[in-house]
Amino acid sequence: MNEISEVGEVGAMKVRAARIAEVPDLLAFWARSAEGVSITDDADGVTRLLVRDPEALLVAERDGVIVGTVIAGYDGWRCHLYRLAVAPDHRRRGVGAALLDAAHERFVSLGGRRADAMVLDHNELAHHAWRAAGYHAEEQWSRWVRPLGEGASSAG
């Protein structure tokens, strides 16, 4: 991934791929800045992501501090966005837009045709950000999930 740098009102911002050494910092950032916790929010899960696809987790930083993230996953067929999070004191300053621009560039370079995003129904702040980026909810789709692994049950 090409790093993207911008100079804004709070100093220089850079969007780049995350590094494995940053996994603890990323988990702490999500605990402070993301809405909710995911089943994969642990060091093993994030490390596996970065080993499998080193450019999937994009980080925005200002002055060496993480101020935003997005996971831009591509499975060879579909483009999926997860974990768009911006530090509360950096919101509405172009961080989310820069992350999504970098994710879209990644998808286009990989041959992607459409991106979808996981957005919590109750997170109105996120709804505004996603709409501003050109996304819309598709009411005909629902997300169906099944936990996997030890202790998981197909009965729910």
Side-chain angles (χ1 to χ4, degrees):
M1 165 190 176
N2 296 328
E3 288 186 2
I4 299 170
S5 296
E6 296 179 3
V7 177
E9 62 191 71
V10 186
M13 180 176 64
K14 176 170 55 174
V15 175
R16 60 169 175 77
R19 297 181 283 267
I20 290 176
E22 295 178 297
V23 168
D25 296 332
L26 292 164
L27 292 169
F29 174 77
W30 288 338
R32 289 188 312 273
S33 304
E35 179 75 21
V37 176
S38 170
I39 191 172
T40 53
D41 283 0
D42 59 40
D44 288 341
V46 178
T47 299
R48 274 193 306 276
L49 168 68
L50 294 175
V51 167
R52 183 183 178 283
D53 188 349
E55 295 186 352
L57 177 44
L58 304 177
V59 171
E61 67 177 25
R62 278 205 168 112
D63 301 319
V65 175
I66 296 171
V67 296
T69 65
V70 69
I71 297 173
Y74 181 66
D75 61 14
W77 186 43
R78 302 250 173 123
C79 307
H80 306 285
L81 294 162
Y82 310 91
R83 272 305 188 215
L84 176 63
V86 176
D89 58 336
H90 283 77
R91 291 181 181 156
R92 305 202 50 82
R93 296 182 183 178
V95 175
L99 285 163
L100 290 177
D101 287 347
H104 297 153
E105 277 184 31
R106 170 177 157 73
F107 293 151
V108 168
S109 73
L110 293 170
R113 297 185 213 161
R114 179 180 67 185
D116 64 49
M118 297 298 298
V119 183
L120 293 171
D121 287 340
H122 70 274
N123 190 340
E124 290 297 324
L125 183 62
H127 295 183
H128 174 75
W130 286 106
R131 276 199 257 348
Y135 287 76
H136 64 276
E138 289 193 335
E139 301 301 326
Q140 72 272 26
W141 300 105
S142 293
R143 180 175 181 216
W144 292 35
V145 299
R146 179 182 187 265
L148 300 173
E150 194 171 311
S153 167
S154 62

